[in-house]
């Protein structure tokens, strides 16, 4: 079975893109550096290689275009005529011929200039010959630019053509516009053809697939045809004529007997008689559509006469297939795509007629006779008149019956089976009580009252509910007693003075817990409470001093530090603190050091802070690294892994990407003054 897949044809570039692709490939795939000091044979070989490589690339690319486009003389006549209707085969062949001529010209140019390069006597002359050769090749491609653009448009259109197999089982739908052809193909296949209430909605061939007797049939919806001379028909109508002329198919001629399509029965009959020559040797069925608007029996006598004439013509195709002329079943059918009445009958009749014709043709072919000579079918002959029915022993029948009963017993009835037995969905309601575990199964379907004698029934379901509630409360109390803190004690065993002290302790404890919660809600990183918010004067240095004094500590240093922090000056390191941590000890009179001491303390603190900064490769506990060498290696690997992502980030959205912005073969080596174009 031949399959035509026009979607695999390679994209045809424009003339400018063609030149860019080939010259860029030549620059990338051949050496780029040559010097005057090289031997003349090496210089000649350098430039000859460039010319030959460019010619080979042009030849391969043009050969691919010529070979992938179909030859109209080699493909099926249906596709040959269809391409002629759509694109004009003369223009098509002319474009491919120009591409072939360009390929031969480029080959001759390369041959001539390679011969001249063999006698080049200097670097300059060899380079000039190379530039001239590539320039003439590019000129040839520029001249065939319109042909390349034309072939690219044809390729895009051919890729959108439906995939039709001319040799498989086919049902062809034809008729006037707006008679219901697209609605019919949508009903019997999974195709989604646009259906609109005006003529020529379908402008090209559409294909759907359906099954009949486990065989696949392709259904083709053709555009509408008008009754006019052959020369006046447009491209849309010629697509239908091409399909009718070349495809071995079962033809369904649709007839709108209601006249709602805008054409009378007489006009449709005239179209039938004008194209009936295309129906020769094909199963033909007349389909009267839109019977929901007008029944076949209700049309006028003149229209009925025309319909009968078309039926007589369709009968001739049946006689041509070897059928009986008296059997008119399946020749004239009625249906309505709106109500779907008769749609399946039309489809089955078309498939059956086509199947009978294909079988009959195969039976008449010589290939079948060759196969029949290899077969021998043995038929038993009766030796007497006695009838001998098949005999099965009784034991075998009993064993089969017993096995069937056991299988039926083992099979569990599902809810779906019960639903089907009791009326189906919406009628049967599944019972949720049949799985209740009760003392008596008869109680499962009993109706349980909610209110009885003015009381809620569920309050009296469990007779021991109060007793169980008391047990739970007692158990909960015991748990709470065991979980009490050690500091809590029973006040009944204490004297009145001890009870008062205990109450004071508990009160104090509650206050401490409350203050702790307030402090906890403000994190340590929060700033000191501003004075305007401290309205109750609770956070004062005097209060802090009193609290520290009660603890037996000297509050002087703490009060001085708090006062120095409360000032708006920039924070400075104290010399006392620096002397405690550093090596230089000095005595300072008073709290305010002079200018020299302040400067020295700042330099000390700055050097100390620098000395305390961590080196980049120092291992910090918890990083999971063994030593500084391992950390240094890990940092280098991380930086190295960024390189590829950084390079990918510079890529654009186009297909052609040069990852290196300055390719080495274009920007390295000596360059003389003048033009530095890489081509």
């Amino acid at each position: 079975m031949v399959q035509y897949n026009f979607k695999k044809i390679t994209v045809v570039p424009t003339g400018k893109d063609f030149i860019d692709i080939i010259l860029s490939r030549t620059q990338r795939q051949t050496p780029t550096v040559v010097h005057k000091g090289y031997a003349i044979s090496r210089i000649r070989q350098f430039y000859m290689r460039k010319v030959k490589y460019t010619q080979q690339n042009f030849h391969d690319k043009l050969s691919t275009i010529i070979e992938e486009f179909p030859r109209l003389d080699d493909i099926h006549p249906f596709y040959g005529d269809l391409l002629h209707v759509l694109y004009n085969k003369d223009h098509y062949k002319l474009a491919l011929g120009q591409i072939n001529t360009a390929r031969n010209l480029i080959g001759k140019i390369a041959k001539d200039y390679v011969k001249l390069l063999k006698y080049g006597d200097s670097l300059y002359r060899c380079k000039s010959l190379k530039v001239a050769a590539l320039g003439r090749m590019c000129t040839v491609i520029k001249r065939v630019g319109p042909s390349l653009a034309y072939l690219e448009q044809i390729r895009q259109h051919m890729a959108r053509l439906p995939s039709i197999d001319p040799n498989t089982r086919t049902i062809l739908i034809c008729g006037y516009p707006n008679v219901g052809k697209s609605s019919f193909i949508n009903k019997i296949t999974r195709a989604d053809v646009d259906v609109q209430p005006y003529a020529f909605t379908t402008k090209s061939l559409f294909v759907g697939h359906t099954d009949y007797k486990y065989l696949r049939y392709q259904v083709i919806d053709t555009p509408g045809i008008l009754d006019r001379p052959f020369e006046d028909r447009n491209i849309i109508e010629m697509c239908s004529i091409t399909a009718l002329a070349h495809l071995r198919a079962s033809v369904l001629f649709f007839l709108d007997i209601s006249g709602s399509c805008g054409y009378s029965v007489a006009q449709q009959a005239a179209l039938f008689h004008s194209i009936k020559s295309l129906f020769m040797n094909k199963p033909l069925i007349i389909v009267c559509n839109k019977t929901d608007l007008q029944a076949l029996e209700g049309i006028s006598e003149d229209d009925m006469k025309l319909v009968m004439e078309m039926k007589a013509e369709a009968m001739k195709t049946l006689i041509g297939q070897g059928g009986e002329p008296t059997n008119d079943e399946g020749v004239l059918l009625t249906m309505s795509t709106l109500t779907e009445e008769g749609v399946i009958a039309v489809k089955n009749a078309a498939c059956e007629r086509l199947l009978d014709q294909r079988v009959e043709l195969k039976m008449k072919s010589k290939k079948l006779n060759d196969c029949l000579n290899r077969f021998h079918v043995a038929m038993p002959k009766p030796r007497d008149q006695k009838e001998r029915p098949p005999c099965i022993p009784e034991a075998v029948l009993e064993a089969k019956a017993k096995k069937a009963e056991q299988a039926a017993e083992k099979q569990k009835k599902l809810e779906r089976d019960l639903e089907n037995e009791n009326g189906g969905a919406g009628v049967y309601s599944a019972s949720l009580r049949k799985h209740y575990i009760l003392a008596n199964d008869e109680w499962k379907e009993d109706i349980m009252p909610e209110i009885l004698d003015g009381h809620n029934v569920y309050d009296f379901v469990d007779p021991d509910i109060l007793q169980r509630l008391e047990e739970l409360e007692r158990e909960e109390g015991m748990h709470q007693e065991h979980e009490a803190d050690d500091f809590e004690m029973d006040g009944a065993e204490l004297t009145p003075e001890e009870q008062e002290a205990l109450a004071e302790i508990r009160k104090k404890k509650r206050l401490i817990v409350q203050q702790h919660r307030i402090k906890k809600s403000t994190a340590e990183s929060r700033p000191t409470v501003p004075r305007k918010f401290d309205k109750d004067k609770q956070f004062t240095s005097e209060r802090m001093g009193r609290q520290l004094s009660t603890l037996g500590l000297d509050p002087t240093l703490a009060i001085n530090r708090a006062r120095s922090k409360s000032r708006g000056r920039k924070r400075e390191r104290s010399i006392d603190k620096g002397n405690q941590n550093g090596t230089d000890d000095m005595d300072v009179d008073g709290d305010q050091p002079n200018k020299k001491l302040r400067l020295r303390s700042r330099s000390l603190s700055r050097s100390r802070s620098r000395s305390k900064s961590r080196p980049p490769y120092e291992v910090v506990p918890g990083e999971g690294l063994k030593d500084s060498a391992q950390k240094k290696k890990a940092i280098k690997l991380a930086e190295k892994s960024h390189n590829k992502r950084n390079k990918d980030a510079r890529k654009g959205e186009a297909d052609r990407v040069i990852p290196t912005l300055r390719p080495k073969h274009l920007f390295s080596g000596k360059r003389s003054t003048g033009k530095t174009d890489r081509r």
Side-chain angles (χ1 to χ4, degrees):
M1 186 179 293
V2 182
Q3 291 286 347
Y4 298 96
N5 189 1
F6 298 133
K7 295 179 177 62
K8 291 185 178 179
I9 300 176
T10 311
V11 177
V12 181
T14 61
K16 186 176 182 303
D17 291 343
F18 208 117
I19 294 170
D20 288 343
I21 291 168
I22 300 300
L23 294 185
S24 177
R25 185 180 297 173
T26 303
Q27 185 69 18
R28 285 184 283 111
Q29 300 292 339
T30 56
T32 58
V33 179
V34 65
H35 298 293
K36 293 180 181 179
Y38 289 169
I40 190 64
S41 59
R42 183 176 177 183
I43 295 173
R44 291 169 184 166
Q45 190 65 32
F46 176 86
Y47 287 109
M48 285 166 59
R49 180 177 177 182
K50 282 188 176 292
V51 174
K52 287 180 181 178
Y53 189 81
T54 306
Q55 181 266 335
Q56 188 62 40
N57 283 335
F58 275 121
H59 184 276
D60 294 344
K61 200 81 173 171
L62 295 173
S63 299
T64 303
I65 294 172
I66 295 170
E67 291 169 3
E68 289 189 349
F69 274 88
R71 293 185 179 181
L72 299 183
D73 299 333
D74 297 343
I75 61 177
H76 194 275
F78 163 69
Y79 271 115
D81 280 3
L82 185 63
L83 294 179
H84 173 56
V85 166
L86 295 174
Y87 318 121
N88 192 340
K89 65 180 180 183
D90 296 333
H91 293 174
Y92 177 76
K93 288 183 176 180
L94 192 62
L96 287 178
Q98 288 179 350
I99 300 298
N100 189 31
T101 305
R103 180 179 65 176
N104 295 334
L105 282 175
I106 289 174
K108 290 180 181 178
I109 291 169
K111 186 177 179 182
D112 294 342
Y113 276 90
V114 167
K115 191 179 295 184
L116 292 173
L117 278 167
K118 288 181 181 178
Y119 301 101
D121 56 357
S122 65
L123 175 66
Y124 174 75
R125 183 158 299 178
C126 291
K127 183 176 181 180
S128 300
L129 288 171
K130 185 266 296 185
V131 171
L134 268 59
R136 288 187 63 185
M137 292 180 193
C138 295
T139 303
V140 171
I141 294 297
K142 284 179 182 177
R143 286 178 180 172
V144 297
S147 298
L148 293 172
Y150 173 72
L151 289 175
E152 172 60 15
Q153 290 181 357
I154 289 181
R155 184 200 67 81
Q156 292 177 2
H157 197 282
M158 289 174 66
R160 292 192 292 269
L161 287 177
S163 180
I164 298 174
D165 186 1
N167 301 315
T168 191
R169 295 166 291 273
T170 307
I171 298 173
L172 203 60
I173 308 170
C174 65
Y176 255 95
N178 203 22
V179 294
K181 303 185 295 297
S182 300
S183 301
F184 178 71
I185 192 175
N186 287 344
K187 294 292 182 185
I188 66 171
T189 68
R190 298 184 65 183
D192 187 15
V193 184
D194 188 21
V195 177
Q196 297 295 340
Y198 49 81
F200 286 109
T201 306
T202 304
K203 297 181 181 179
S204 61
L205 300 176
F206 284 90
V207 181
H209 293 85
T210 185
D211 291 335
Y212 178 73
K213 289 186 177 180
Y214 304 103
L215 294 173
R216 179 60 56 91
Y217 290 77
Q218 70 177 0
V219 186
I220 301 177
D221 178 23
T222 62
I225 309 172
L226 299 179
D227 183 22
R228 52 185 176 180
F230 187 81
E231 296 80 9
D232 297 340
R233 291 195 168 105
N234 57 22
I235 293 177
I236 298 175
E237 296 174 88
M238 289 305 297
C239 290
S240 302
I241 299 297
T242 304
L244 284 169
H246 294 290
L247 293 179
R248 291 171 49 197
S250 177
V251 181
L252 301 179
F253 186 83
F254 270 57
L255 200 64
D256 183 4
I257 56 176
S258 68
S260 61
C261 65
Y263 305 98
S264 64
V265 177
Q267 289 175 308
Q268 298 178 61
L271 171 66
F272 176 83
H273 290 294
S274 68
I275 63 172
K276 66 181 179 182
S277 60
L278 300 173
F279 302 149
M280 295 302 295
N281 300 324
K282 296 184 179 72
L284 176 61
I285 298 175
I286 309 297
V287 181
C288 297
N289 193 17
K290 302 185 182 180
T291 54
D292 56 312
L293 299 177
Q294 175 70 55
L296 180 62
E297 296 80 11
I299 63 176
S300 63
E301 293 182 0
D302 296 338
D303 293 344
M304 181 62 77
K305 186 178 178 181
L306 294 172
V307 172
M308 289 301 132
E309 288 178 0
M310 287 190 284
K311 181 180 177 182
E313 292 290 340
M315 288 288 292
K316 293 179 182 178
T317 63
L318 184 64
I319 296 169
Q321 295 173 40
E324 294 296 330
T326 56
N327 182 15
D328 60 350
E329 185 180 354
V331 176
L332 179 64
L333 298 174
T334 59
M335 74 166 191
S336 171
T337 54
L338 183 64
T339 61
E340 299 187 10
E341 180 182 357
V343 172
I344 301 301
V346 171
K347 170 197 151 185
N348 293 345
C351 296
E352 193 66 41
R353 290 275 303 276
L354 182 63
L355 196 60
D356 292 344
Q357 186 203 34
R358 291 172 69 91
V359 170
E360 186 179 350
L361 291 175
K362 288 181 180 178
M363 292 294 291
K364 291 179 180 178
S365 64
K366 296 180 181 179
K367 191 182 294 185
L368 184 66
N369 294 329
D370 296 340
C371 294
L372 286 177
N373 293 334
R374 305 174 193 172
F375 296 117
H376 174 67
V377 182
M379 299 294 293
K381 294 182 179 180
R383 63 190 178 202
D384 50 24
Q385 301 298 325
K386 189 175 180 181
E387 187 178 355
R388 292 179 175 84
C391 179
I392 302 175
E394 292 292 333
V396 175
L397 294 174
E398 291 177 0
K400 283 186 177 180
K402 188 175 181 181
K403 191 174 181 181
E405 290 177 2
Q406 291 177 354
E409 289 176 0
K410 287 182 180 179
Q411 188 176 5
K412 184 181 178 181
K413 267 197 173 183
L414 304 176
E415 285 291 336
R416 183 171 52 192
D417 302 331
L418 295 173
E419 183 182 28
N420 294 332
E421 291 175 3
N422 295 294
V427 179
Y428 172 75
S429 179
S431 175
L432 302 177
R433 298 183 179 182
K434 57 185 174 184
H435 300 298
Y436 286 0
I437 301 174
L438 301 177
N440 190 352
D441 290 341
E442 296 178 357
W443 297 347
K444 290 182 179 179
E445 300 299 331
D446 290 348
I447 298 173
M448 186 180 296
E450 295 184 4
I451 304 297
L452 186 64
D453 297 334
H455 298 285
N456 194 346
V457 174
Y458 285 96
D459 293 341
F460 304 96
V461 169
D462 191 353
D464 302 331
I465 188 169
L466 295 176
Q467 181 181 354
R468 293 183 179 180
L469 181 61
E470 290 177 1
E471 292 176 357
L472 285 173
E473 289 178 350
R474 197 179 306 119
E475 185 178 355
E476 184 68 21
M478 292 173 63
H479 280 303
Q480 289 179 357
E481 289 177 2
H482 286 302
E483 292 175 0
D485 294 337
D486 297 337
F487 295 100
E488 300 292 335
M489 57 182 66
D490 193 3
E493 301 176 358
L494 301 176
T495 60
E497 292 81 4
E498 291 176 343
Q499 289 181 2
E500 290 179 3
L502 181 60
E504 190 67 26
I505 290 171
R506 286 177 175 171
K507 183 179 178 182
K508 187 71 174 175
K509 184 178 178 182
R510 283 196 298 272
L511 289 173
I512 292 171
V513 169
Q514 188 176 1
Q515 290 178 358
H516 175 68
R517 285 175 180 169
I518 294 172
K519 289 179 181 179
K520 192 176 181 183
S521 65
T522 60
E524 293 180 358
S525 60
R526 294 279 184 89
T528 309
V529 180
R531 188 172 298 169
K532 63 179 180 179
F533 295 117
D534 189 14
K535 295 179 180 178
D536 298 333
K537 303 294 183 181
Q538 293 181 354
F539 306 99
T540 59
S541 57
E542 288 80 3
R543 179 185 171 191
M544 182 179 66
R546 287 197 301 272
Q547 289 177 349
L548 291 174
S549 299
T550 54
L551 295 174
L553 298 173
D554 185 12
T556 308
L557 292 174
I559 291 171
N560 291 338
R561 178 172 174 74
R563 285 177 179 170
S564 65
K565 275 199 170 189
S566 64
R567 295 171 186 166
R569 290 187 312 200
K570 194 173 180 181
R571 183 176 176 182
E572 297 176 357
R573 292 179 181 270
S574 64
I575 296 177
D576 295 340
K577 186 176 179 181
N579 290 336
Q580 289 173 7
N581 297 329
T583 56
D584 296 335
D585 295 332
M586 56 173 48
D587 297 332
V588 181
D589 296 333
D591 294 335
Q592 297 180 355
N594 56 20
K595 188 175 181 181
K596 289 183 180 180
L597 292 178
R598 279 205 306 271
L599 291 173
R600 185 168 184 180
S601 65
R602 285 181 188 175
S603 63
L604 283 172
S605 63
R606 210 174 285 126
S607 62
R608 194 182 303 114
S609 63
R610 288 200 193 99
S611 65
K612 288 185 178 180
S613 63
R614 186 180 292 113
Y617 300 125
E618 183 179 340
V619 179
V620 179
E623 283 185 339
L625 299 170
K626 185 170 62 176
D627 51 9
S628 59
Q630 192 177 24
K631 183 172 181 180
K632 187 175 181 180
K633 186 178 180 182
I635 291 172
K636 284 187 177 180
L637 286 174
E639 291 174 352
K640 198 173 182 180
S641 67
H642 298 163
N643 292 342
K644 189 174 185 305
R645 290 197 295 273
N646 294 341
K647 188 180 291 185
D648 291 342
R650 291 199 300 269
K651 285 188 178 182
E653 296 176 357
D655 293 330
R656 296 173 61 202
V657 176
I658 300 176
T660 54
L661 298 181
R662 292 175 64 84
K664 186 176 179 183
H665 68 280
L666 298 180
F667 294 97
S668 63
K670 292 184 178 180
R671 285 193 170 212
S672 60
T673 58
K675 188 174 180 182
T676 57
D677 188 6
R678 63 193 180 98
R679 297 194 186 114

